[in-house]
Amino acid sequence: MSEIKSYLRSLERSRDSMRAEHRPRVFSLRGREWDLLGTVFAPVHAGTTEIVLDMLGLSDPACPPWRGAFLEIGCGTGVVAVTAALAGCERVVASDINAEAVANARLNARRHGVADRVLAVHSDLFEALPGGQRFDTIVWSSPYVRAPEDYRFATPLERAYVDPGYEAHRRYVDEAPRRLTNDGRALLHFSSRGDMDGLHRIAEETGRRLRVLKRHVIVDRGDVVEHFLVEVRSGEEPSEVHDDAVRRGGPRTQPARTMTQPA
Ligand SMILES: C[S@@+](CC[C@H](N)C(=O)[O-])C[C@H]1O[C@@H](n2cnc3c(N)ncnc32)[C@H](O)[C@@H]1O
């Protein structure tokens, strides 16, 4: 297994993110202040939250207003969900398996005056969400590093970094398309630290198609890491491994940027 895909290294990152210097009580991100609670994924340590905002087009103040119902699975501090509400989504659900993340998202929704539109829910993926609820956008910035099937989490935070046997990825790929409105999109933030072949096998086994919509390359402490925004679609056709830009002959990636903190 290559170094960047090592689950032990990701667990080490998870421990490192618990050090006091990486856990300000309040942090700044994209011009806003955010609360951070004790065992919640720390965007300032990881850097991936900003990548997700960029790939979704939620960072650009000039972006056209968002509409409809937005579900963020694995909301952590709630930065993405709250930003979606601030961008115009009328109904936002922010859910996480870590109860402290749910409280954290609630705090940040209140801090930014969108508590009336952001419902924070404690849920293992879709389990606590009413079956009939449909969303225009569903997104999960997943713990894309694969751990051995029999790995048992030592802390709630480790769930933000690894997924044993891709059990949660399998359930997300299978279930997310069923929770969409007719024109809705189910999205997954994934990276080259993850097992993309494994994800494609899961898609085939669950009758889904994967399409890479966006790519973003970073250099992270000497490692080149590619981030992907993947759409999970229902359907029989084989998964597509190329993004639109590749098929149009456009640039394969956005320019690399250097990060000082690990993703
Ligand atoms: C990489 S973190 C992303 C956090 C946040 N979205 C962000 O970008 O800052 C992944 C999140 O998924 C959550 N998670 C992991 N497994 C989950 C599951 N089965 N159901 C719901 N949330 C889960 C973790 O607790 C964590 O908050």
Side-chain angles (χ1 to χ4, degrees):
M1 184 194 301
S2 81
E3 242 327 77
I4 67 162
K5 291 179 192 281
S6 157
Y7 81 99
L8 292 173
R9 205 170 136 183
S10 286
L11 293 175
E12 205 180 298
R13 284 163 188 269
S14 145
R15 283 191 292 276
D16 186 53
S17 86
M18 284 306 287
R19 284 166 41 195
E21 69 265 34
H22 299 311
R23 305 204 70 83
R25 179 68 186 73
V26 175
F27 64 93
S28 296
L29 192 139
R30 297 294 159 96
R32 294 188 173 108
E33 305 269 284
W34 305 89
D35 287 286
L36 174 65
L37 298 184
T39 62
V40 180
F41 182 78
V44 276
H45 178 258
T48 50
T49 312
E50 288 185 275
I51 293 174
V52 174
L53 286 175
D54 287 346
M55 291 200 298
L56 289 174
L58 280 170
S59 300
D60 181 0
C63 77
W66 280 56
R67 293 274 167 262
F70 184 100
L71 167 62
E72 186 184 14
I73 294 286
C75 59
T77 53
V79 167
V80 173
V82 168
T83 306
L86 291 168
C89 289
E90 293 90 356
R91 186 167 64 84
V92 176
V93 175
S95 82
D96 206 292
I97 198 165
N98 178 352
E100 207 167 15
V102 180
N104 204 151
R106 213 169 271 146
L107 263 184
N108 281 320
R110 232 178 281 145
R111 176 185 271 277
H112 292 289
V114 290
D116 57 332
R117 272 174 285 153
V118 178
L119 177 68
V121 179
H122 186 208
S123 179
D124 179 358
L125 298 185
F126 301 92
E127 275 183 14
L129 305 179
Q133 252 179 28
R134 295 286 176 271
F135 297 89
D136 301 292
T137 306
I138 301 177
V139 64
W140 187 23
S141 178
S142 74
Y144 38 66
V145 174
R146 182 180 206 136
E149 216 168 320
D150 59 356
Y151 181 73
R152 296 288 170 263
F153 294 110
T155 65
L157 183 61
E158 286 186 356
R159 290 184 183 275
Y161 286 81
V162 301
D163 178 13
Y166 271 8
E167 182 273 336
H169 279 80
R170 177 177 294 276
R171 284 188 290 129
Y172 182 79
V173 164
D174 184 32
E175 182 72 17
R178 279 200 275 275
R179 302 286 184 143
L180 293 173
T181 55
N182 282 345
D183 299 327
R185 296 215 295 188
L187 305 169
L188 179 70
H189 164 231
F190 202 74
S191 106
S192 54
R193 290 192 190 283
D195 172 8
M196 187 56 107
D197 290 342
L199 190 68
H200 277 277
R201 273 196 300 279
I202 286 173
E204 273 162 35
E205 287 161 15
T206 51
R208 302 290 179 236
R209 283 192 295 147
L210 303 179
R211 192 159 81 109
V212 177
L213 302 179
K214 298 231 171 107
R215 294 166 192 261
H216 186 100
V217 179
I218 61 165
V219 180
D220 169 9
R221 294 187 179 174
D223 295 327
V224 175
V225 181
E226 200 167 5
H227 288 265
F228 308 102
L229 186 67
V230 179
E231 184 179 7
V232 181
R233 308 170 79 172
S234 307
E236 301 299 313
E237 299 162 46
S239 296
E240 296 171 36
V241 291
H242 298 295
D243 60 355
D244 288 339
V246 173
R247 273 186 269 114
R248 286 198 308 269
R252 211 171 154 263
T253 60
Q254 294 169 268
R257 77 185 167 104
T258 304
M259 291 176 65
T260 51
Q261 295 294 345

